[in-house]
Amino acid sequence: MLSDLTSPGWSDRSQPLVLVVDDDEVAQFLYRQALEREGFQVVDACNGELALTMFQDHRPDLVLLDVVMPGMDGFETCAAMRALPTGIGAHIPILIVTGLDDVGSIKQAYTAGATDFITKPINWMILMQRLRYMLRASESLRRLGESERRLAQAQKIASLGSWEWDVGTGEMNWSREMFSLLGYAPDGDGRSQLAPSLAAVLSRIHPDDRDRFGTAADLLGQGMPPAEESGDFRIVDDGDDIRIVRFTGRPERDCRGEIVRVAGVAQDITERRRSEDVLRRALNQAEAANRAKSDFLATMSHELRTPMNAILGFTEIMDRKLYGPIGNEQYESYVRMIHESGEHLLHLINAILDLSKAEQGMIELHDDPIDVTRVAHACRRLLQAQADAKGISFTLDLPKRPLPALFADELRVRQILLNILSNALKFTPDNGQVMLRVRREYPGQFPDQGGTGGLVFEVADTGIGMRAEDIPIALAKFGQIDSSHSRRYEGTGLGLPLTKRLIELHGGTLEILSAPDVGTTVILTFPQERILTEQRRLPVTAAE
């Protein structure tokens, strides 16, 4: 029966519908009996005019058409069905059934648009097999047409055309969108009268790009596809509008390995290029503005150092009374305050200058083997008085196993640690805790964290902490979590950005874990390649 023809997708009906067109009532009856027995639905018409009306109303899956009929004969009816508007009858199979078996009649049937031709008297078994075959072929054509429609729609949406180039004959085949990309207007059926060719493409290429296009085509024909960017060419249409189209191709070889054709695509990337140009200009402007700002800060910082050195020098002389007493204790107090304020301002100027240099890549690292234990103890010693003033427990946690030497810039490593430790002490309330832990991580030691190994410094405190969304603010230049005029903690917001830049110059990373009213942990990791081998390890420094 018709189980292989009633699967979903080939027709909206559960059973194929056949339009029988024959002026003989006996023939109509025989057709109906035979077809319905095989699982077909049947509608019939007795002349060509009625057949055209039923053809448009019912949209049958197949037509059985007699030739000799009053009025319109079968040939005229077939041609009229194929000529219906919007392609209604373009792909529906039409089987001419007639007693005429001469060559002229057969040729006329196919010229009128018949799918196949069968002569009377009818062999019903052959007829049913012929119908099944025609329905399967029709379904294949329908699916192919649907695929082509979807492909054409996708190409139009993506401004993407496909092409093939026969290297031997020079002939080309283009998709519909390819014509549009090259500025060739299609005719009524969506095609162009122009024959696709390499010359037709070249005529649309901008004159300044034609030599490059010819070179790219030659390379492609030799099996050497050019780089992606070198396949971008300017296309000039009849209206002198210029678009940028990217051509990409891949050679196809025969069994002997010789190139027989090249298949590829062409895509309009004009808008993408415009967007990239806008972004590039914006990036250049932003970088220029950033450089100008950094240059200004660096220049100002440098110019401020000279008078600041004079202020610090003279106030130190006055404080030490090198040329005799000042004569008034209040003045002595003022001198000390001026000197302390000057030192704070000089520290700020140095931080601005360092950050400006770091942003412009002007900081040079002077790497040497560093005794990590000695540096950790030295940083703790420098800040112990600050911790004692607030009653903070300031501890140092070192592993029992001696630490390896670190190949880095010792001055910058100290600067990194002092910045982080100073922040921890500043933002930790009285009687809190701050700990500096140093440890070594080995590659693969923490696979769930994706660690690649290295030397790790952790600074953990029980301070005020901050929210996760505030961490990027803290890492930004001049970033202040509390930006109000009455903020509780003084600072310029330069310490963390500078520290992050310095650790990155060493190839390391800075990570911040924090929670409000819980505390903050800053993790500084120097990469594995900066750890010296066992043979080059420095002598162990005794704990102080």
Side-chain angles (χ1 to χ4, degrees):
M1 302 294 285
L2 295 175
S3 59
D4 59 334
L5 300 177
T6 57
S7 59
W10 84 275
S11 173
D12 294 334
R13 304 181 178 92
S14 60
Q15 294 175 303
L17 177 64
V18 179
L19 171 60
V20 175
V21 185
D22 199 308
D23 61 333
D24 188 342
E25 293 183 359
V26 174
Q28 290 183 12
F29 174 79
L30 294 175
Y31 279 129
R32 181 178 292 276
Q33 292 296 312
L35 292 170
E36 290 182 346
R37 186 168 59 247
E38 293 294 327
F40 291 94
Q41 301 178 71
V42 179
V43 291
D44 45 46
C46 60
N47 56 62
E49 292 80 359
L50 180 59
L52 279 175
T53 301
M54 298 186 69
F55 185 84
Q56 296 180 73
D57 292 343
H58 293 277
R59 304 287 179 89
D61 301 301
L62 191 144
V63 177
L64 288 175
L65 182 59
D66 188 26
V67 172
V68 181
M69 295 184 296
M72 294 176 63
D73 63 23
F75 300 134
E76 294 172 332
T77 303
C78 181
M81 288 179 176
R82 294 304 191 206
L84 287 172
T86 67
I88 293 175
H91 301 296
I92 294 177
I94 299 177
L95 178 62
I96 295 288
V97 184
T98 179
L100 303 174
D101 59 355
D102 59 284
V103 175
S105 296
I106 296 175
K107 184 178 180 181
Q108 189 176 0
Y110 287 121
T111 302
T115 307
D116 206 349
F117 186 99
I118 191 170
T119 59
K120 297 178 181 179
I122 297 173
N123 184 319
W124 296 101
M125 183 179 70
I126 293 178
L127 176 63
M128 296 305 152
Q129 295 303 323
R130 188 75 61 86
L131 296 182
R132 291 189 179 95
Y133 168 77
M134 291 174 67
L135 286 172
R136 284 195 294 269
S138 174
E139 172 60 11
S140 297
L141 287 174
R142 188 195 66 80
R143 290 181 177 176
L144 179 60
E146 182 65 17
S147 297
E148 289 181 345
R149 185 192 65 79
R150 290 176 178 173
L151 177 60
Q153 186 180 43
Q155 289 188 351
K156 187 175 183 63
I157 292 172
S159 296
L160 184 75
S162 57
W163 52 269
E164 280 189 357
W165 173 33
D166 189 312
V167 178
T169 65
E171 294 180 353
M172 295 193 77
N173 183 34
W174 298 346
S175 68
R176 291 187 181 185
E177 188 60 24
M178 189 71 188
F179 286 91
S180 298
L181 286 177
L182 295 175
Y184 292 113
D187 55 21
D189 63 355
R191 296 285 181 177
S192 174
Q193 297 298 324
L194 177 78
S197 66
L198 200 59
V201 180
L202 192 61
S203 67
R204 293 301 197 188
I205 300 293
H206 191 282
D208 294 342
D209 292 350
R210 286 176 183 172
D211 289 343
R212 188 164 57 87
F213 179 84
T215 301
D218 290 341
L219 289 174
L220 201 55
Q222 298 170 22
M224 296 181 290
E228 183 179 82
E229 294 78 9
S230 63
D232 298 348
F233 302 95
R234 288 169 292 177
I235 301 295
V236 185
D237 61 20
D238 291 330
D240 292 333
D241 290 331
I242 297 179
R243 288 171 295 139
I244 300 175
V245 175
R246 173 168 293 172
F247 289 82
T248 307
R250 177 177 297 176
E252 297 180 7
R253 303 176 186 270
D254 60 14
C255 58
R256 295 173 297 179
E258 296 181 357
I259 298 173
V260 293
R261 70 177 58 86
V262 180
V265 296
Q267 185 172 24
D268 188 339
I269 60 170
T270 307
E271 292 303 320
R272 185 196 308 176
R273 277 293 188 87
R274 288 173 180 168
S275 299
E276 289 174 353
D277 290 342
V278 170
L279 290 175
R280 190 178 298 109
R281 286 195 295 270
L283 178 61
N284 291 338
Q285 291 173 359
E287 290 177 345
N290 191 53
R291 284 194 301 271
K293 181 177 63 177
S294 298
D295 291 343
F296 171 77
L297 291 175
T299 301
M300 290 301 297
S301 299
H302 179 76
E303 294 299 323
L304 287 172
R305 276 182 168 181
T306 300
M308 188 53 58
N309 286 332
I311 293 172
L312 291 176
F314 287 129
T315 53
E316 184 175 358
I317 290 173
M318 295 171 68
D319 187 46
R320 295 173 61 182
K321 303 178 181 63
L322 293 182
Y323 296 105
I326 296 177
N328 189 306
E329 292 183 359
Q330 191 67 33
Y331 288 161
E332 293 179 5
S333 174
Y334 291 162
V335 167
R336 284 192 293 273
M337 292 174 61
I338 293 172
H339 188 77
E340 291 173 357
S341 298
E343 286 183 333
H344 175 74
L345 185 56
L346 183 61
H347 175 75
L348 174 60
I349 293 171
N350 289 336
I352 293 175
L353 188 60
D354 280 346
L355 187 58
S356 298
K357 287 181 177 179
E359 287 183 337
Q360 298 180 52
M362 296 175 60
I363 289 184
E364 295 183 4
L365 298 180
H366 302 283
D367 295 331
D368 288 300
I370 298 175
D371 185 339
V372 176
T373 301
R374 178 177 58 81
V375 170
H377 278 290
C379 291
R380 178 192 177 192
R381 221 175 22 251
L382 286 172
L383 297 175
Q384 188 63 56
Q386 183 179 341
D388 293 342
K390 298 178 67 175
I392 294 174
S393 173
F394 188 11
T395 58
L396 181 61
D397 183 8
L398 298 174
K400 294 180 180 180
R401 185 177 179 179
L403 289 166
L406 182 67
F407 193 66
D409 187 325
E410 181 171 346
L411 177 64
R412 298 303 181 182
V413 172
R414 285 174 178 260
Q415 187 176 2
I416 290 169
L417 292 176
L418 289 174
N419 279 347
I420 299 300
L421 289 169
S422 297
N423 271 356
L425 293 171
K426 178 170 66 174
F427 292 107
T428 298
D430 294 352
N431 303 315
Q433 298 178 3
V434 173
M435 179 176 65
L436 170 60
R437 178 185 294 113
V438 187
R439 55 185 170 84
R440 180 180 181 183
E441 284 187 359
Y442 296 88
Q445 184 176 356
F446 302 101
D448 57 326
Q449 300 178 13
T452 57
L455 192 66
V456 180
F457 295 84
E458 285 187 11
V459 178
D461 64 57
T462 58
I464 60 174
M466 55 184 158
R467 300 173 301 174
E469 55 266 33
D470 290 333
I471 293 177
I473 300 176
L475 289 171
K477 288 185 299 182
F478 304 102
Q480 297 283 354
I481 304 302
D482 182 7
S483 59
S484 63
H485 293 294
S486 59
R487 62 176 187 262
R488 293 175 294 168
Y489 301 96
E490 296 297 328
T492 61
L494 293 174
L496 277 178
L498 178 58
T499 300
K500 184 175 184 294
R501 184 60 184 147
L502 291 175
I503 189 73
E504 288 173 349
L505 286 174
H506 284 84
T509 59
L510 181 149
E511 181 183 5
I512 299 178
L513 307 175
S514 188
D517 301 322
V518 176
T520 300
T521 299
V522 179
I523 304 173
L524 304 162
T525 304
F526 288 85
Q528 178 72 22
E529 53 267 25
R530 284 194 171 271
I531 298 178
L532 298 182
T533 60
E534 296 290 332
Q535 290 77 10
R536 297 178 61 190
R537 178 180 292 167
L538 296 178
V540 178
T541 300
E544 301 179 17

